[in-house]
Amino acid sequence: MPAPTRRLMIFRGLAGGAAAVIASAATWVRPAQASSETQESEETAGPILAKTSGIPVGGGRIIKGTWVVTQPVKGTFRAFSAKCTHQGCTVATVRGGTINCPCHGSKFRIADGSVARGPAKRPLARKKIKVSKGIIRLS
């Protein structure tokens, strides 16, 4: 095999350099990002828990066995951990103004998660939420 000529060596060097520049340019170019406030706020908001229409006034719903969302009075929403503070059981129902644990009978008030009846001594952990356009999200 004959030795490569000077022209061939220069051509290969330029071709390789051009390929490297093109490959690295892919990291410089970024797709345009939307700057609308709505999209940004939705992207930074927490996960959706429920629709406001799905939470009854004076009651609530247990969401995925992890959260409890209540509406103690029309238009006021609260969210709590679904983990009972007595021994960690998952609460099972929301009835009669209380969030109810099936394990030992503890009951928590839907307005603030406080203990309505023991044996639990501590309230349910309250979670921060954001309500917008009929959607309840963790914040």
Side-chain angles (χ1 to χ4, degrees), residues 8-40:
L8 183 58
M9 296 289 288
I10 292 171
F11 177 75
R12 285 182 182 168
L14 290 174
V21 168
I22 291 169
S24 68
T27 62
W28 301 338
V29 179
R30 292 189 180 145
Q33 295 179 352
S35 61
S36 75
E37 291 178 26
T38 304
Q39 183 174 355
E40 287 177 18

Side-chain angles (χ1 to χ4, degrees), residues 78-99:
R78 303 279 189 256
F80 307 95
S81 167
K83 187 176 180 180
C84 179
T85 58
H86 176 237
Q87 288 189 348
C89 291
T90 301
V91 297
T93 61
V94 181
R95 272 194 213 106
T98 60
I99 302 162

Side-chain angles (χ1 to χ4, degrees):
M1 175 182 231
T5 65
R6 183 174 174 180
R7 280 188 187 171
L8 183 58
M9 296 289 288
I10 292 171
F11 177 75
R12 285 182 182 168
L14 290 174
V21 168
I22 291 169
S24 68
T27 62
W28 301 338
V29 179
R30 292 189 180 145
Q33 295 179 352
S35 61
S36 75
E37 291 178 26
T38 304
Q39 183 174 355
E40 287 177 18
S41 64
E42 287 177 7
E43 289 174 0
T44 59
I48 294 175
L49 293 178
K51 291 183 177 182
T52 56
S53 60
I55 309 299
V57 176
R61 273 187 46 215
I62 298 166
I63 312 295
K64 298 180 183 177
T66 305
W67 314 106
V68 180
V69 178
T70 65
Q71 185 176 190
V73 295
K74 186 173 175 74
T76 300
F77 298 91
R78 303 279 189 256
F80 307 95
S81 167
K83 187 176 180 180
C84 179
T85 58
H86 176 237
Q87 288 189 348
C89 291
T90 301
V91 297
T93 61
V94 181
R95 272 194 213 106
T98 60
I99 302 162
N100 310 301
C101 180
C103 294
H104 302 104
S106 292
K107 293 181 180 275
F108 304 89
R109 291 178 186 88
I110 64 170
D112 59 7
S114 64
V115 177
R117 184 177 93 193
K121 298 194 185 311
R122 293 177 290 121
L124 292 175
R126 188 159 172 191
K127 303 298 177 182
K128 290 184 180 183
I129 57 172
K130 182 171 249 176
V131 180
S132 177
K133 299 179 183 177
I135 301 293
I136 303 167
R137 295 177 179 269
L138 286 176
S139 60

